Amino acid sequence: MCGIIGYIGKREAPEILMEGLKRLEYRGYDSAGLALLHQGRLEIRRCQGKLAVLEALLKESPVRGQAGIGHTRWATHGRPSEENAHPHRVGAIAVVHNGIVENFAELKAELIAAGEKFSSETDTEVISHLVHQYVSQGLDFEAAARKALLRLQGAYAVLILNEKEPDRIIAAKQASPMILGLGEGENLVASDIPALISHTQRVVPLEDGDYAVIRADRVEVKNLQGEPVVRKPRAVQWTPAMAEKGGYKHYMQKEIFEQPRAVAETLAGRIKLEAGEVSFEDFAISEGQLRQVRRIAVVACGTAWHAGLVGKYLLEQFCGLPVEVDIASEFRYRKPLLDSETLLILISQSGETADTLAALEEGRRRGARILSICNVMEASIPRRSDGVIYTRAGPEIGVASTKAFVTQLAVLYLFAVHLAGVRGALPAEARREMLKEILRVPHLIKDVLKTDEQIQAVARQFYRTKGFFFIGRGIHFPLALEGALKLKEISYIHAEGYPAGELKHGPIALVDENMPVVVLAPRNAMFEKVMSNLEEVAARGGKIIALVTAGDEGKVAAKATEVIPLPQVAPELVPILLAVPLQLLAYHVAVLNGTDVDQPRNLAKSVTVE
């Protein structure tokens, strides 16, 4: 989510770094900074706030240099502030970092015991201290950096400068993106292609476990054992405008394909697998307060409300607490029954949704404890909540929510496991198995994305249809609602989501040979009942698009027009996987109908009025 860029060459670096950071602003951030090497001296400028603040600082206190690194930070460890902004300097070493160092607390304690002094709350600062310590012990810069990297656990994309060796930048990656840009007499490195494309079209994506020694005239890529590895350059035929979308046609399409990374970021550093525990940074609601909760109220709007409906299943099943889910615009008008033993969970991508904010104030007046699930740091809702869990989806530019939704589901799953542990509702071994399962999800989403071409073919069959039904049962029913919402909001086709068992109570009257019905039928305890509902649709000539667990295709092939398989996963996590083909179907139908996918008519990304 953070933006990273580095440059070394013959030109003045500050302008190049600032331009690159501006092209990475879509990633979202709360602070920014640069480190420059000039005439053997390391100069740092950093600030809380947007790049305009950094630009003003650079005008007031200019800095020069032909080698430098830049960063825009989206806070994870430590609040947004100048002291927590990157780069982090220790002695001659400066570091910028995207990701989470999962063992930073252990490393920090070790470094403090060795006499190191810390000046920030970040996990990143341990990297600066480690490299500095190893250089001080006599290792050369590259060997010190490599030794430090071998100590890190978790995800990272790192750039390192050394005032004593100004002819190189060291870059490394593990589970966070890092891309080299190869120029003539200059080289660049960044966390995404948009920052590079104005200067070169020859790029080298680093692989996990790679590090690169970048000089103006050459780049060497090695593994963490110090052995050279070959990474072939690729030609990127993108314009700068195309690059902002990562080569995708629309932001929504890009954001659908970013979901494996978004979920991985949301999970990173929060799971203690051996203990079967979950921890959330800056989580201000104590375990004692959670044990006092007797009921839960979930309030949200639109797609976030659908996430809340899934959350109801998870919280009731894992924790044994009664849960009600309300649409925010209705919540405060019914005089809800809230008290000090109620946990009010508010879900909002932007953290500024007016109706959800009004629900927060109603909850506060009635004495409820308030937890928010949000994607935007320091927005109004998280600021006014007792506790907040950030989804770490990164900025979502397309109006139709995609990666924000799946990360909300991931957070609800983690919180349900956490609450179950705090309240003694699930033993540690059960929690361990549940956490192991969600760690598989980012890779499983990648597998689901491979169905894109099949779903595009489905869209070509049905994009002229006047209406769709989406049906599911149990924990899949909210995904039927979500699939229908996605389709109608970007393609303008009428679509409805129903509990599958409700078809015979009226809606089945609309089913005929012209009606496509998306049947959510992954294997779970209600599978046979959904099969009965599928038969009801087939008997009336409905065109069935079935989403099933891989291996069950044969059970529906005779009745369905199309069958889309999903990987096997724990039933409680199936909604995350189901979301992906439903998003792809809506996207491709909208594209075929020629609508404005990223900015559909009459809609706004953040609804800040009632």
Side-chain angles (χ1 to χ4, degrees):
M1 291 177 291
C2 306
I4 290 178
I5 185 167
Y7 172 84
I8 186 165
K10 298 176 182 177
R11 293 188 285 164
E12 282 296 315
E15 293 80 5
I16 295 169
L17 298 177
M18 287 299 294
E19 177 202 8
L21 292 179
K22 287 177 182 177
R23 292 197 178 279
L24 297 172
E25 279 193 290
Y26 67 87
R27 297 172 71 87
Y29 65 102
D30 50 62
S31 58
L34 304 179
L36 278 298
L37 286 168
H38 181 59
Q39 297 181 343
R41 293 188 58 189
L42 183 63
E43 296 278 348
I44 290 180
R45 303 288 185 271
R46 60 184 189 172
C47 61
Q48 182 181 350
K50 297 298 183 182
L51 287 173
V53 181
L54 182 59
E55 283 183 312
L57 178 61
L58 291 170
K59 285 182 181 178
E60 180 184 322
S61 179
V63 63
R64 296 184 60 196
Q66 295 176 328
I69 56 180
H71 189 270
T72 50
R73 175 179 187 254
W74 196 87
T76 54
H77 292 80
R79 68 193 186 284
S81 66
E82 182 180 342
E83 60 267 26
N84 288 332
H86 298 211
H88 287 287
R89 178 178 184 173
V90 178
I93 304 300
V95 170
V96 297
H97 163 232
N98 178 22
I100 293 176
V101 180
E102 295 180 1
N103 61 333
F104 91 98
E106 170 192 331
L107 293 172
K108 185 173 182 178
E110 172 190 316
L111 289 160
I112 290 172
E116 298 285 334
K117 305 291 185 185
F118 281 73
S119 59
S120 79
E121 303 167 297
T122 68
D123 56 338
T124 301
E125 194 180 348
V126 301
I127 306 173
S128 309
H129 281 280
L130 284 171
V131 178
H132 174 259
Q133 184 182 70
Y134 297 143
V135 168
S136 300
Q137 292 170 358
L139 291 180
D140 65 55
F141 179 29
E142 182 181 339
R146 183 160 58 86
K147 186 174 181 179
L149 293 167
L150 285 166
R151 300 290 311 277
L152 306 181
Q153 296 174 12
Y156 59 77
V158 180
L159 298 184
I160 312 172
L161 284 180
N162 183 354
E163 187 176 65
K164 306 299 184 184
E165 298 189 40
D167 66 332
R168 72 198 70 185
I169 300 170
I170 291 179
K173 77 150 293 203
Q174 180 67 45
S176 287
M178 184 69 81
I179 301 167
L180 306 176
L182 307 181
E184 297 294 331
E186 63 182 10
N187 289 298
L188 300 95
V189 59
S191 51
D192 209 347
I193 288 174
L196 307 173
I197 205 67
S198 294
H199 308 285
T200 182
Q201 291 185 313
R202 294 177 65 229
V203 302
V204 178
L206 294 181
E207 302 288 341
D208 285 351
D210 286 352
Y211 75 91
V213 181
I214 306 166
R215 296 178 175 85
D217 61 347
R218 67 187 186 278
V219 173
E220 300 170 276
V221 182
K222 302 180 182 181
N223 61 28
L224 289 178
Q225 287 69 51
E227 302 162 339
V229 296
V230 176
R231 301 286 180 243
K232 293 183 179 180
R234 304 177 188 177
V236 180
Q237 304 299 328
W238 295 349
T239 65
M242 290 168 64
E244 290 179 5
K245 296 176 184 174
Y248 293 99
K249 187 174 181 180
H250 298 94
Y251 283 112
M252 181 182 176
Q253 184 187 27
K254 178 176 185 283
E255 288 156 6
I256 290 171
F257 279 83
E258 286 178 337
Q259 288 177 128
R261 186 174 74 187
V263 173
E265 294 258 14
T266 296
L267 302 180
R270 288 171 165 171
I271 293 175
K272 300 176 181 178
L273 200 55
E274 289 186 8
E277 294 177 355
V278 177
S279 63
F280 301 105
E281 66 283 353
D282 303 321
F283 190 72
I285 302 176
S286 71
E287 292 188 0
Q289 291 167 334
L290 289 177
R291 281 190 283 270
Q292 293 171 7
V293 171
R294 295 292 173 264
R295 57 192 290 271
I296 297 173
V298 181
V299 177
C301 297
T303 286
W305 178 64
H306 299 155
L309 292 171
V310 174
K312 173 184 172 69
Y313 286 91
L314 300 174
L315 289 162
E316 290 187 341
Q317 180 175 328
F318 295 176
C319 306
L321 286 169
V323 181
E324 60 186 64
V325 184
D326 274 89
I327 295 173
S329 57
E330 297 291 327
F331 179 71
R332 63 190 171 121
Y333 296 110
R334 67 172 179 82
K335 296 183 179 178
L337 300 176
L338 306 173
D339 57 27
S340 61
E341 294 183 334
T342 303
L343 178 66
L344 177 59
I345 300 178
L346 306 170
I347 309 174
S348 169
Q349 188 281 139
S350 68
E352 302 291 347
T353 311
D355 289 315
T356 309
L357 192 55
L360 183 152
E361 299 303 336
E362 182 70 14
R364 190 169 297 288
R365 278 194 297 272
R366 294 176 181 270
R369 198 166 302 282
I370 298 167
L371 169 66
S372 60
I373 296 173
C374 186
N375 190 43
V376 179
M377 299 280 298
E378 297 298 312
S380 297
I381 290 171
R383 281 204 315 269
R384 300 184 197 184
S385 300
D386 297 312
V388 58
I389 305 173
Y390 289 108
T391 55
R392 302 179 185 163
E396 190 176 65
I397 297 170
V399 167
S401 183
T402 54
K403 61 180 180 173
F405 175 64
V406 298
T407 54
Q408 287 164 359
L409 296 180
V411 162
L412 285 162
Y413 185 92
L414 290 183
F415 178 69
V417 173
H418 174 64
L419 185 59
V422 168
R423 298 178 64 85
L426 286 174
E429 182 57 35
R431 299 196 307 273
R432 272 194 293 273
E433 292 305 312
M434 294 161 74
L435 295 173
K436 279 183 187 177
E437 195 72 356
I438 196 171
L439 287 171
R440 299 175 56 223
V441 166
H443 297 289
L444 297 179
I445 296 173
K446 289 182 181 179
D447 291 339
V448 178
L449 287 166
K450 294 174 184 176
T451 64
D452 183 46
E453 288 188 12
Q454 180 187 2
I455 294 169
Q456 192 170 2
V458 174
R460 281 195 290 269
Q461 291 183 62
F462 297 111
Y463 76 97
R464 296 187 185 278
T465 303
K466 296 184 183 292
F468 271 76
F469 275 157
F470 293 74
I471 62 172
R473 298 189 79 138
I475 199 170
H476 304 154
F477 162 56
L479 272 295
L481 295 174
E482 175 63 11
L485 176 62
K486 281 292 155 288
L487 188 68
K488 70 179 86 173
E489 66 184 337
I490 64 170
S491 72
Y492 317 146
I493 292 174
H494 184 76
E496 295 296 337
Y498 282 98
E502 285 296 296
L503 272 184
K504 65 179 71 71
H505 294 281
I508 203 166
L510 297 175
V511 174
D512 60 20
E513 64 278 2
N514 298 313
M515 174 65 74
V517 180
V518 180
V519 181
L520 310 184
R523 193 183 313 132
N524 66 5
M526 302 187 76
F527 178 73
E528 295 302 330
K529 292 186 180 298
V530 177
M531 289 297 99
S532 297
N533 302 132
L534 184 149
E535 291 281 358
E536 292 168 356
V537 173
R540 287 153 182 84
K543 305 299 184 185
I544 295 169
I545 304 162
L547 277 65
V548 303
T549 302
D552 287 344
E553 296 94 327
K555 297 179 181 179
V556 299
K559 304 291 183 182
T561 305
E562 291 287 341
V563 183
I564 299 166
L566 301 173
Q568 294 188 26
V569 72
E572 297 82 9
L573 290 167
V574 169
I576 297 178
L577 303 188
L578 276 175
V580 179
L582 297 177
Q583 294 163 358
L584 289 170
L585 178 63
Y587 171 77
H588 289 302
V589 169
V591 169
L592 290 166
N593 278 297
T595 64
D596 188 343
V597 172
D598 287 330
Q599 295 289 330
R601 68 189 183 202
N602 304 330
L603 298 178
K605 184 64 183 170
S606 178
V607 182
T608 55
V609 294
E610 187 176 358

